[in-house]
Amino acid sequence: MPAADFVVVANRLPVDRVEGPNGEEVWRTSPGGLVAALEPMMRSAHGAWVGWAGQPDVALDPFEINGIDLVPVPLSAEEIADYYEGFANDTIWPLYHDVIAPPQYHREWWDAYVRVNRRFAEAAASVAAQDGTVWVHDYQLQLVPQMIRELRPDVTIGYFHHIPFPPHGLYAQLPWRDQVIKGLLGADVIGFQRAQDATYFLTAVRRRLRYEVKGSSVTVPTDDGGRRTAVARAFPISIDTTPYKELAASPEIRARAAEIRASLGNPKKILLGVDRLDYTKGINHRVKAYGELLEDGRIGVEDVTLVQVASPSRERVDAYVHLRDEIELAVGRINGDHDTMGHTAIRYLHQGYPREEMVALYLAADVMLVTALRDGMNLVAKEYVATRADNHGVLVLSEFTGAADELRQAVLVNPHDIAGLKDAIMRAIEMPPAEQSRRMRALRRRVLENDVSAWSASFLQALSDVRRP
Ligand code: GDG
């Protein structure tokens, strides 16, 4: 494999091992906005993607799929438990999402995180071409920028943080708080979803390391007694709008949306939630608000149905096991109290679906409920908007998502305020078509103009500006 001018480093490679037509195992690319955004760049510059292939205890040689060179990083089952499920998903994830669940601090998890981050950094350093560019992604790999810089001072390093960065009062809990920000500062550009996240990060840098911060620039001392500049600012991520627009226009998908409505008994209004089953997404708050509206008699099951897709996620982490129990208990109670033979209150689906079915659901939904308690961006909100070509439909959106900074014409809510959330749902259900259309038009303009390729272009531009000012 030749040296790569452009290297992406992410926890997962953009592929899954699936069963082929003759029962044999084959690789299939997993569709995602990130892959779509980076594919053109990966092909034109010679590109490589470094990440875990998704199977524990398997060592694989680099291979190519659809013109992208993939460099698998092996992880043992124990490392997945300690580095990924442990430190990434049970320490950093809850701490960075406002401690909605209590973060667990374990020194063995941290040790595994350091060890695995070093392995990713070594893999990236060994494939990057002289003076190449490396783009590291997300909270699983916060130490990688600095580790790559030590190994390969010639390369330009970018880092993008997909989740929130917490206020200093919370960040300060982290026993390894100085090491983590030093790790991130190894990058030339550190990208965040919201301006607020960048501000919190810069505050941590000033308070903990006492480095000089001016605007979005940090002066970082180097080992040889010199100094360099790192830039930390917001680059709100978006979606690849093309497949959503195309699927939404397809007659088969439109027919499927009508079929979904019919199978729910053709209620007047369908409310929809689509989330990974995660405590940050506010699924329980949404279910509670909807249940109370039924209880209060403000809506009836014949008229308004809630469809909730909660796709399985992190099922070996305790907090997720408990969350699932809580949600399913609440849904079961509400359905038990309110269902009729012909109508269900909540159609709850603990399943993952192909993208075609997701788009059919978006088309069938009159109201999209995004009630996250904290969310880096929330792409579901943008996907819903991208599919609403007729400018109908209402997005109810939590203020605590990155998307709320951009999607100001949504019905914005504080999901902790159940009374306010109930009123917002009623307002969405009753919103006149002219108002829906005025809001949706503005939302669509925003999402379609700022798609994921605009996002990656602006990040890469900032990266080349900082390296060659
Ligand atoms: C992290 C940050 C940030 C979900 N269920 C199914 C399915 N999905 C797709 C959605 C959407 C994606 O997964 C979820 O993206 P979100 O942005 O909503 O949330 P996270 O997974 O938490 O993502 C987040 C994001 O990174 C990007 O930076 O926005 O804040 O937490 O695309 O459609 N897709 C299919 N079947 C499902 O069942 N096909």
Side-chain angles (χ1 to χ4, degrees):
M1 189 178 277
D5 297 314
F6 181 59
V7 181
V8 171
V9 190
N11 176 60
R12 277 289 267 117
L13 288 173
V15 288
D16 289 310
R17 197 88 172 130
V18 294
E19 201 170 299
N22 306 316
E24 78 287 16
E25 291 218 315
V26 294
W27 291 106
R28 187 187 59 192
T29 44
S30 38
L34 199 56
V35 195
L38 301 177
E39 228 172 17
M41 175 83 182
M42 296 289 260
R43 286 180 213 270
S44 63
H46 180 89
W49 189 306
V50 174
W52 179 49
Q55 296 173 312
D57 297 307
V58 178
L60 296 164
D61 288 329
F63 60 101
E64 197 209 289
I65 184 166
N66 297 347
I68 304 180
D69 285 336
L70 301 183
V71 183
V73 176
L75 293 178
S76 69
E78 197 183 343
E79 284 167 343
I80 290 154
D82 291 350
Y83 140 80
Y84 181 68
E85 294 167 345
F87 197 79
N89 286 333
D90 215 4
T91 304
I92 294 292
W93 180 271
L95 179 65
Y96 284 25
H97 286 89
D98 289 355
V99 303
I100 297 165
Q104 310 294 320
Y105 302 117
H106 296 297
R107 282 163 284 184
E108 322 79 84
W109 289 1
W110 165 253
D111 293 344
Y113 188 76
V114 175
R115 194 167 65 245
V116 169
N117 271 242
R118 181 154 295 122
R119 193 174 305 147
F120 276 80
E122 283 166 355
S126 71
V127 295
Q130 182 69 31
D131 299 322
T133 297
V134 182
W135 191 357
V136 181
H137 286 266
D138 225 359
Y139 64 102
Q140 302 92 352
L141 303 176
Q142 295 173 99
L143 307 177
V144 170
Q146 178 55 24
M147 289 170 169
I148 295 178
R149 181 167 295 281
E150 281 163 15
L151 295 164
R152 290 291 306 273
D154 59 298
V155 299
T156 303
I157 304 166
Y159 171 89
F160 187 75
H161 193 75
H162 291 252
I163 68 172
F165 195 88
H168 190 252
L170 292 179
Y171 184 71
Q173 283 187 13
L174 186 66
W176 308 278
R177 56 200 184 181
D178 293 359
Q179 292 96 311
V180 167
I181 41 180
K182 280 186 181 159
L184 293 169
L185 284 171
D188 296 291
V189 175
I190 305 139
F192 295 93
Q193 302 278 25
R194 311 179 90 158
Q196 182 69 263
D197 300 316
T199 303
Y200 287 152
F201 172 73
L202 291 167
T203 304
V205 169
R206 212 180 310 111
R207 302 260 310 252
R208 306 244 44 92
L209 305 178
R210 310 248 163 241
Y211 291 173
E212 190 191 338
V213 176
K214 263 205 196 119
S216 56
S217 299
V218 185
T219 305
V220 185
T222 54
D223 288 343
D224 59 7
R227 45 183 52 195
R228 43 176 281 271
T229 301
V231 168
R233 44 167 276 225
F235 298 87
I237 201 169
S238 191
I239 56 167
D240 178 14
T241 54
T242 310
Y244 290 95
K245 282 188 297 190
E246 285 177 3
L247 287 170
S250 123
E252 294 81 44
I253 306 281
R254 302 190 73 78
R256 175 64 192 143
E259 197 175 283
I260 290 171
R261 288 197 80 97
S263 67
L264 293 167
N266 280 317
K268 289 199 190 96
K269 296 282 175 176
I270 295 177
L271 317 181
L272 175 66
V274 169
D275 314 80
R276 280 187 306 99
L277 202 155
D278 195 295
Y279 48 78
T280 60
K281 303 290 184 183
I283 303 170
N284 28 13
H285 293 62
R286 188 182 312 163
V287 165
K288 186 176 174 63
Y290 173 77
E292 285 192 15
L293 287 172
L294 288 170
E295 204 61 46
D296 301 344
R298 290 169 79 180
I299 55 174
V301 286
E302 302 77 18
D303 295 332
V304 183
T305 296
L306 169 61
V307 177
Q308 176 63 54
V309 175
S311 45
S313 182
R314 305 178 190 169
E315 293 184 285
R316 299 197 318 174
V317 178
D318 280 351
Y320 290 75
V321 175
H322 294 138
L323 175 74
R324 183 175 174 195
D325 286 348
E326 251 178 55
I327 291 173
E328 293 181 358
L329 180 66
V331 168
R333 285 216 172 128
I334 291 170
N335 283 345
D337 286 344
H338 298 282
D339 278 6
T340 61
M341 288 303 168
H343 293 273
T344 186
I346 307 176
R347 180 61 55 87
Y348 167 80
L349 305 149
H350 181 249
Q351 295 164 48
Y353 290 94
R355 187 189 268 170
E356 290 72 16
E357 183 73 356
M358 301 304 260
V359 173
L361 280 164
Y362 291 149
L363 287 178
D366 302 288
V367 176
M368 184 78 215
L369 297 174
V370 176
T371 58
L373 306 177
R374 184 52 82 193
D375 213 333
M377 176 54 62
N378 195 288
L379 297 180
V380 166
K382 294 188 171 182
E383 289 164 4
Y384 178 68
V385 167
T387 62
R388 308 301 298 188
D390 65 359
N391 293 321
H392 278 82
V394 183
L395 173 64
V396 173
L397 180 62
S398 162
E399 293 162 24
F400 300 104
T401 62
D405 280 1
E406 297 177 78
L407 305 182
R408 305 305 298 171
Q409 295 80 5
V411 174
L412 295 174
V413 288
N414 167 8
H416 297 280
D417 169 13
I418 299 293
L421 180 54
K422 287 163 69 180
D423 290 344
I425 295 173
M426 289 311 295
R427 194 167 155 217
I429 290 172
E430 291 165 354
M431 188 178 287
E435 185 181 350
Q436 291 185 31
S437 162
R438 185 170 50 72
R439 288 170 179 265
M440 189 55 79
R441 221 180 278 277
L443 293 171
R444 285 178 60 73
R445 200 175 313 124
R446 177 83 205 188
V447 171
L448 300 181
E449 280 171 11
N450 297 283
D451 66 356
V452 76
S453 49
W455 167 78
S456 60
S458 78
F459 186 90
L460 294 169
Q461 184 59 51
L463 203 49
S464 72
D465 291 348
V466 76
R467 224 13 204 215
R468 282 172 280 283

